[in-house]
Amino acid sequence: MYYTQAAKDLRRFIQQLDDEGELLKITKEVDLDLELAAIVRKVCEMGERATLFTNPKGREGDELFRILGASIGVSKRPGMELCRIAKSIGLPSSATGHDVIAKINEAKSKPPIPCQKLDSGPVKDHVIRGDDIDLTKLPVPLLHEHDGGKFIDTLGIHVVQSLAGKWTNLRELVGLVIPEQDIGTIWNLWKEKGEDMPWALCFGVPPAAIVVGGMPIPKWTNEPEFIGALTGAPVDIVKCETNDLCVPANAGIVLEGVVSISETAPEGPMVEYNCLVFPGRPTQCPIFKVNTITYRHDPILPICVAGRAPDENSTIWSTMQAAVILDICQKAGLPLKMVWCPFESHCLWFVFQVDRSKLVEMHTSMEEFSRKVGHTVFGSKPGWSIPKIFLVGDYIDPTNLADVIWAEATRCEPDRHEFVFNEYSNTPLIPYVTYSLPSESGMNGKVVKCYMLPAEFTEETLPWKEGSFEGRLSGER
């Protein structure tokens, strides 16, 4: 089908956005020093079209690249709000949040599709090696005034591989090698061996690869093969020039090299997914050494300019987390219909829609059920970066923030409907984790809040009627 092709190739994705009126081409020269990023931020916050900058300042001929902003942002078109993320995974533009979550988890139940290795591909059109490389000449935009520098990797994928070559991992990172993430696990394996980690960084990859790169799927999952299951076709790959890693054959730009196990340099600060930056607080991180660059004719660099939601942090990362968490909970026997992270929460609120008929059959209490949900989620891989869970009944749509706020305001009693967990760690990227008052335990709490009344745990029929037009009309609410 027409729309399934966009997930496999960035240029087809861009063409389809253009065909549907979801793309704005800016041919006028745009300054890379904050101007370009400011335009992208405005686009994200207004729900405007994805923006392709064809003339970033300093771009000369085919040697340098065009820049794509807000590629997986939210659209203001009614009924098409999620059209860009839908296209990224092979769904029609009218897909809903429920459709997106279902598509991701449906792919998890399918057998992985092995990649198809080619002798060459578009990404090999041009090759720059060794001393001919000068990263400072690449037209990389400065995104925010208080960023520690220019960040090229805001919407790319890192390709690394375990020592045995059986685990290939694609990670969407912002300059950090965090131990709890897969790239950190693999980096430690190489460090134990005493060798720098072979590495490649890819831009302009198939949109489905970007989505999977932001997905906390189980360790030892071969992610390129999962992309195949998601798109229904093998990923075409080619071998790197300087190591045994393979990258998407139709990628736009690839940086090859190694990640040092001993050398570090200051990294950051940077405006993070939470829309905050703390100036003057760089972190020592491993050095990524680039020894070869390959790229295709007229390459495109997609970027994410983090700020107030929505942007790719919320549309990709939080949505993929929600899909994985739903799968984990359902496999654990928890009666959940849907999990969603409202984009406005900056990847920190996760709303769990409970199947009330199955809940009643469990003969459980609010506290017992909430505690079980909390331990299941917070003890999982994606749970490390999830601090807040909200439980709602199945008459609440988790993708409708107004519904969620209504449930919180009318059904969640402070203290008695709130269950705190102090035994689990949190990502330090949450501002209140790193910059909060010190706790006696050294841990920052996580919480499950129940936006349901006690009667919902014992009675299938709701003991109230809703006074809204929809409620009165349907007779169900």
Side-chain angles (χ1 to χ4, degrees):
M1 286 178 281
Y2 168 75
Y3 55 79
T4 64
Q5 299 304 310
K8 305 170 188 177
D9 185 271
L10 179 65
R11 299 195 179 205
R12 291 184 181 180
F13 175 85
I14 292 172
Q15 184 59 57
Q16 288 190 23
L17 291 184
D18 198 15
D19 293 344
E20 295 183 14
E22 278 289 317
L23 183 73
L24 173 64
K25 295 179 181 178
I26 297 181
T27 58
K28 181 180 178 181
E29 184 178 75
V30 178
D31 198 319
L32 293 169
D33 189 3
L34 299 178
E35 182 182 23
L36 186 147
I39 294 171
V40 176
R41 277 308 321 160
K42 191 71 171 178
V43 164
C44 288
E45 293 173 23
M46 294 184 65
E48 285 292 347
R49 295 169 285 175
T51 309
L52 182 63
F53 300 89
T54 63
N55 191 21
K57 191 173 182 178
R59 183 177 188 269
E60 298 178 2
D62 193 51
E63 290 297 314
L64 301 173
F65 38 71
R66 295 177 286 168
I67 297 175
L68 178 65
S71 59
I72 311 184
V74 172
S75 174
K76 67 180 180 182
R77 290 190 298 159
M80 300 289 180
E81 290 85 357
L82 302 181
C83 64
R84 291 176 227 166
I85 191 169
K87 283 185 176 299
S88 299
I89 59 174
L91 287 175
S93 296
S94 58
T96 65
H98 295 266
D99 297 331
V100 170
I101 296 294
K103 170 79 173 184
I104 293 294
N105 283 338
E106 178 185 306
K108 293 186 71 175
S109 66
K110 294 180 178 180
I113 297 179
C115 297
Q116 179 171 280
K117 192 171 183 179
L118 307 179
D119 293 332
S120 188
V123 75
K124 301 291 188 178
D125 287 345
H126 302 274
V127 181
I128 307 175
R129 294 185 172 89
D131 293 339
D132 292 332
I133 296 172
D134 185 352
L135 297 179
T136 64
K137 291 185 177 181
L138 298 179
V140 178
L142 177 64
L143 304 182
H144 297 282
E145 178 183 359
H146 297 291
D147 281 352
K150 295 182 176 181
F151 293 89
I152 187 173
D153 177 26
T154 57
L155 205 59
I157 56 172
H158 289 281
V159 179
V160 294
Q161 197 171 68
S162 62
L163 297 175
K166 295 181 179 179
W167 180 21
T168 300
N169 178 263
L170 290 70
R171 275 301 82 169
E172 183 182 352
L173 297 173
V174 190
L176 299 175
V177 177
I178 299 176
E180 288 80 3
Q181 293 180 325
D182 291 344
I183 191 172
T185 301
I186 297 176
W187 181 79
N188 277 317
L189 293 175
W190 285 94
K191 186 175 182 179
E192 290 172 4
K193 188 181 180 183
E195 295 181 12
D196 290 342
M197 179 176 68
W199 154 86
L201 176 58
C202 311
F203 303 105
V205 299
I210 283 290
V211 170
V212 173
M215 190 174 177
I217 57 181
K219 283 181 169 59
W220 311 109
T221 298
N222 191 299
E223 296 183 18
E225 295 184 356
F226 178 74
I227 296 169
L230 180 63
T231 61
V235 177
D236 289 339
I237 57 174
V238 291
K239 181 182 173 299
C240 284
E241 298 290 307
T242 60
N243 56 47
D244 291 331
L245 297 174
C246 289
V247 297
N250 62 355
I253 309 161
V254 172
L255 311 183
E256 299 180 18
V258 296
V259 182
S260 175
I261 61 171
S262 58
E263 298 178 72
T264 63
E267 190 274 342
M270 178 185 184
V271 173
E272 283 288 354
Y273 66 92
N274 49 57
C275 190
L276 297 179
V277 61
F278 293 84
R281 292 177 178 267
T283 304
Q284 289 294 125
C285 293
I287 292 177
F288 291 67
K289 300 180 180 181
V290 179
N291 49 41
T292 299
I293 300 177
T294 66
Y295 61 99
R296 64 187 298 169
H297 292 301
D298 202 18
I300 298 170
L301 174 70
I303 64 170
C304 168
V305 185
R308 288 300 278 281
D311 54 43
E312 286 80 5
N313 289 298
S314 48
T315 59
I316 296 176
W317 189 34
S318 67
T319 302
M320 297 308 105
Q321 283 182 301
V324 173
I325 282 295
L326 177 61
D327 185 56
I328 288 173
C329 289
Q330 289 179 337
K331 288 179 178 176
L334 293 172
L336 298 182
K337 289 185 173 181
M338 175 68 172
V339 174
W340 187 253
C341 178
F343 296 155
E344 294 86 350
S345 76
H346 289 266
C347 310
L348 299 176
W349 293 0
F350 286 77
V351 185
F352 287 40
Q353 185 186 51
V354 179
D355 185 325
R356 290 187 305 105
S357 62
K358 293 182 179 178
L359 178 68
V360 171
E361 293 174 359
M362 290 179 67
H363 302 291
T364 186
S365 67
M366 180 187 296
E367 178 170 5
E368 181 183 34
F369 183 71
S370 298
R371 295 276 177 201
K372 187 173 183 180
V373 170
H375 287 304
T376 300
V377 175
F378 299 143
S380 69
K381 176 184 173 182
W384 176 67
S385 58
I386 295 175
K388 302 174 184 179
I389 294 172
F390 306 152
L391 303 179
V392 300
D394 47 16
Y395 50 89
I396 294 294
D397 180 0
T399 69
N400 184 332
L401 187 58
D403 256 17
V404 176
I405 292 173
W406 176 55
E408 198 283 337
T410 59
R411 295 160 181 77
C412 183
E413 181 182 355
D415 188 32
R416 292 206 296 174
H417 286 202
E418 300 173 338
F419 305 94
V420 176
F421 297 73
N422 291 310
E423 59 267 54
Y424 299 101
S425 62
N426 285 276
T427 170
L429 296 179
I430 301 175
Y432 66 72
V433 170
T434 299
Y435 301 100
S436 183
L437 296 172
S439 65
E440 293 183 4
S441 65
M443 306 288 275
N444 299 89
K446 296 174 181 282
V447 66
V448 174
K449 294 186 178 184
C450 186
Y451 296 177
M452 302 167 67
L453 296 178
E456 297 182 60
F457 288 79
T458 58
E459 302 175 28
E460 286 193 38
T461 302
L462 294 175
W464 67 80
K465 300 297 180 182
E466 182 182 327
S468 68
F469 174 78
E470 182 181 353
R472 291 174 61 85
L473 180 66
S474 66
E476 296 293 328
R477 303 174 67 172

